[in-house]
Amino acid sequence: YFAKELSERLGFFKSLPETAKIVLVDMAFNLGVGGLLKFKNTLALIEKKQFVAAGNEMLNSAWKFQVGQRAYDLSNQLKSAL
């Protein structure tokens, strides 16, 4: 469900490496797609395939405190996307 909706809402989603897609789907599951779409800087970096910078940027949010270690795990997973 989330992958389909992200594919419809983010034109670049289909072109992402599988690892980046998994991170975005996981975040959408937690935040809802609308909540994920508020991560404008992170999504802009992901669209440019700047995954290390995007992984760092996603930690600049209250979400990091809400999900704790999971935020760091997802950040590191995104940074490893090729």
Side-chain angles (χ1 to χ4, degrees):
Y1 166 80
F2 289 106
K4 182 179 184 290
E5 189 167 348
L6 290 172
S7 185
E8 292 170 358
R9 304 275 301 266
L10 300 172
F12 59 88
F13 183 81
K14 289 181 183 178
S15 70
L16 294 174
E18 198 63 27
T19 302
K21 289 178 184 176
I22 290 168
V23 168
L24 290 176
V25 167
D26 190 296
M27 290 179 73
F29 178 78
N30 178 251
L31 296 160
V33 173
L36 174 61
L37 294 177
K38 293 178 182 175
F39 282 67
K40 295 189 184 307
N41 294 335
T42 298
L43 292 172
L45 290 165
I46 290 172
E47 183 175 15
K48 296 175 191 170
K49 297 189 172 39
Q50 295 178 2
F51 301 119
V52 173
N56 291 329
E57 180 63 32
M58 66 195 279
L59 296 176
N60 291 329
S61 69
W63 168 79
K64 169 179 77 171
F65 300 106
Q66 295 167 354
V67 298
Q69 184 61 44
R70 183 169 161 209
Y72 293 95
D73 294 343
L74 290 173
S75 172
N76 289 330
Q77 191 174 350
L78 183 60
K79 290 177 187 179
S80 73
L82 301 174

